[in-house]
Amino acid sequence: MIVAFVFLASLTLICALGVVLSRNVVHSALFMSGSFLAIAGFFVMLNAPALAAFQVLIYVGAVTVVILFGIMFTQRPQVRRFRTIINRQTWSGLVATLGIGAFLAYVLSNQDWVGTAPGNGPRDTTDLGEILLGVNGAPP
């Protein structure tokens, strides 16, 4: 179980870095789909097959295809103009990243993790809907 977690975590991080650091936009989109697949693997590890299926169908299938079509239909000269805009935003992006990271570290350090264990989540979509929405799935 630990080996699978380390593999999926490293795959997610490597693909996320590939999204950010890749010079080719199409390669970035493909790295993004790899990251989405690794996250679906986390859902499988947590015994949530419905969420894993939704992750693959919606994010890997639909969102990645839409982004790839958007990239293919845009014109190449516009990419050079955006590159100069992105180069100007390096310091503000770094400050925003450090701020969000500090906030997440604060939230995670104050969380009580005593009662949490993997695999205790709902297995059916009806149970998941009841937990998320707080309503019973039976018709009135």
Side-chain angles (χ1 to χ4, degrees), residues 12-78:
T12 303
L13 290 176
I14 289 170
C15 287
L17 282 173
V19 170
V20 175
L21 299 176
S22 179
R23 297 261 182 204
N24 190 346
V25 183
V26 175
H27 292 164
S28 248
L30 293 175
F31 278 125
M32 183 185 63
S33 66
S35 180
F36 286 155
L37 279 174
I39 291 172
F42 283 123
F43 287 136
V44 170
M45 283 182 60
L46 292 171
N47 291 328
L51 289 177
F54 295 154
Q55 178 79 17
V56 171
L57 287 174
I58 295 171
Y59 287 104
V60 177
V63 172
T64 304
V65 168
V66 167
I67 288 175
L68 285 174
F69 277 132
I71 290 168
M72 287 190 292
F73 289 134
T74 58
Q75 297 172 351
R76 184 74 177 156
Q78 293 177 351

Side-chain angles (χ1 to χ4, degrees), residues 2-3 8 19 24 26 40 49-50 66 73 89 97 102 110 122 128 136 139:
I2 293 174
V3 174
L8 288 173
V19 170
N24 190 346
V26 175
V66 167
F73 289 134
Q89 297 174 349
T97 302
N110 288 336
L128 178 65
N136 191 356

Side-chain angles (χ1 to χ4, degrees), residues 94-123:
L94 181 65
V95 169
T97 302
L98 289 175
I100 292 171
F103 174 72
L104 289 176
Y106 172 75
V107 168
L108 290 175
S109 66
N110 288 336
Q111 178 67 32
D112 183 26
W113 296 100
V114 176
T116 58
N120 293 335
R123 292 182 168 255

